[in-house]
Amino acid sequence: MPRPNPFQTAAHCWRFALRRATADGDTFHIVTTGNPAAPRAVLSDRDLLARDDLTPEDIEASVDPFLSDIGNAG
């Protein structure tokens, strides 16, 4: 059995998606892949819509670059 990738935790993917969204100005999504060695992926809107193997239920979280400062308020 392959070992899980320690860099694909929900927290790590969230930080990566937030960095990408802020830098690119695009919405990024954390999706489950069904692969035990790589359980999550971070995809942009364009990449997500180009794939036929993912459903809305596969999306764990989305990062909108225009709402990224909500967590930093106050």
Side-chain angles (χ1 to χ4, degrees):
M1 178 173 185
R3 295 177 58 186
N5 187 335
F7 295 106
Q8 289 185 318
T9 64
H12 187 271
C13 287
W14 176 259
R15 290 189 299 271
F16 180 66
L18 185 59
R19 284 193 308 270
R20 293 286 311 272
T22 303
D24 296 345
D26 197 4
T27 300
F28 280 81
H29 309 276
I30 302 168
V31 296
T32 56
T33 63
N35 181 351
R40 291 179 181 86
V42 175
L43 301 173
S44 69
D45 269 345
R46 286 178 231 113
D47 294 334
L48 181 66
L49 294 174
R51 296 193 47 177
D52 294 331
D53 60 333
L54 296 173
T55 64
E57 291 79 26
D58 295 327
I59 299 173
E60 287 188 325
S62 298
V63 179
D64 185 334
F66 300 106
L67 299 177
S68 63
D69 286 335
I70 289 175
N72 299 329

